Amino acid sequence: MLNEKLHSYIDDLIGERNPLLMEMEAYAKEHEVPIMELVGIETMLQLLRLHRSGKILEVGTAIGYSALRMAVALPEAKIITIERDEERIQLAKAFIGRSGHERRITLIEGDALEVEKQVSDYAPFDAIFIDAAKGQYQKFFELYSSYLNEDGMIITDNVLFKGLVAESEIESKRTRNLVKKIDGFNRWLMNHHDYDSVILPVGDGVAISKRRGERK
Ligand SMILES: C[S@@+](CC[C@H](N)C(=O)[O-])C[C@H]1O[C@@H](n2cnc3c(N)ncnc32)[C@H](O)[C@@H]1O
């Protein structure tokens, strides 16, 4: 979203992560695993710190990078994270196992839309982080927001989808359909009666939704 120069300026100012996290970043780059962008994740971590989130639900673990970043940034927090891809589940388990934070991270294996029962055992959550199949954001939000604390916050990544949500002409039909879904989600979210939301143009676009104290 920011111009390239500013983007790398900010990236350069961000301190190095611990060796395991750096190894995960390198792995993700080499194997094209879509982990959250650096400025996006730093923004999310800062919000979680300010919010003092104690229990966090993550939809979309991939190799466990963001789950581990949350565990490191919030030393008291417990993270429940869902992943359906078998290969990534094994990688996440291995990385988390090496991190020393395994007791605070619970990996739920399966499709997020089918493991509600298991997830509900860990509810309520102070924060929910949605970072899975982009076409299903509204379903994830609707399903899991009922397990959010009164004062909870929902963070959704990739809502600007490389800026494509603002493009009027997109050649690929598949991309066009996906952009339409993300745009639909953004409009639905921004008009949601129970949440105050803002979309930040950082990383790939991060939506922050705060539950309203009083239900309308
Ligand atoms: C963008 S990656 C997650 C990146 C991770 N949050 C990070 O920043 O390190 C999205 C992941 O969500 C998983 N995923 C997509 N749809 C899912 C679903 N319905 N249930 C569970 N996992 C899903 C994909 O397999 C993929 O590994």
Side-chain angles (χ1 to χ4, degrees):
M1 261 18 98
L2 294 171
N3 72 45
E4 292 277 306
K5 249 187 180 171
L6 261 185
H7 206 283
S8 46
Y9 172 78
I10 297 175
D11 272 7
D12 288 348
L13 285 177
I14 297 171
E16 291 216 334
R17 279 66 63 204
N18 73 39
L20 180 67
L21 289 166
M22 297 296 277
E23 182 186 330
M24 293 172 84
E25 288 175 21
Y27 181 94
K29 195 169 181 188
E30 188 184 341
H31 299 273
E32 294 181 358
V33 180
I35 60 171
M36 200 177 188
E37 285 183 36
L38 204 50
V39 182
I41 200 158
E42 292 293 340
T43 305
M44 175 174 83
L45 295 176
Q46 191 72 327
L47 283 164
L48 293 171
R49 286 187 198 103
L50 289 167
H51 185 247
R52 297 178 195 277
S53 304
K55 208 193 287 171
I56 304 164
L57 172 67
E58 174 181 67
V59 184
T61 318
I63 60 171
Y65 177 75
S66 50
L68 268 177
R69 296 273 342 242
M70 292 191 272
V72 171
L74 299 138
E76 305 292 319
K78 288 204 161 54
I79 296 120
I80 316 302
T81 180
I82 314 170
E83 177 56 55
R84 67 177 175 191
D85 181 277
E86 188 50 42
E87 197 183 333
R88 289 186 180 164
I89 288 170
Q90 295 314 324
L91 284 158
K93 280 183 175 170
F95 281 124
I96 293 166
R98 289 168 55 197
S99 71
H101 296 293
E102 58 274 26
R103 267 193 233 111
R104 289 194 292 122
I105 303 177
T106 302
L107 178 55
I108 294 182
E109 303 177 25
D111 191 303
L113 297 175
E114 292 166 10
V115 293
E116 179 185 359
K117 175 79 189 62
Q118 262 171 281
V119 174
S120 69
D121 289 342
Y122 299 92
F125 302 100
D126 301 306
I128 298 177
F129 171 41
I130 299 174
D131 191 18
K134 294 187 233 331
Q136 304 200 295
Y137 276 3
Q138 191 171 328
K139 283 190 185 162
F140 298 139
F141 194 107
E142 284 177 320
L143 180 61
Y144 289 117
S145 52
S146 54
Y147 297 104
L148 191 66
N149 266 330
E150 276 271 303
D151 201 24
M153 167 173 76
I154 301 186
I155 299 169
T156 314
D157 192 26
N158 309 111
V159 295
L160 297 180
F161 196 23
K162 303 177 182 78
L164 290 173
V165 284
E167 290 298 330
S168 47
E169 278 174 37
I170 297 164
E171 229 169 82
S172 145
K173 192 177 171 201
R174 192 169 170 268
T175 309
R176 207 162 52 233
N177 284 337
L178 196 49
V179 168
K180 214 170 150 187
K181 281 193 178 158
I182 297 171
D183 177 55
F185 169 75
N186 289 342
R187 289 173 196 279
W188 171 82
L189 183 65
M190 297 304 281
N191 285 299
H192 201 304
H193 286 295
D194 298 334
Y195 290 85
D196 287 312
S197 296
V198 63
I199 292 176
L200 302 180
V202 293
D204 198 25
V206 180
I208 317 292
S209 307
K210 176 81 179 56
R211 195 169 191 157
R212 286 192 179 140
E214 237 173 70
R215 298 214 143 211
K216 279 192 177 171

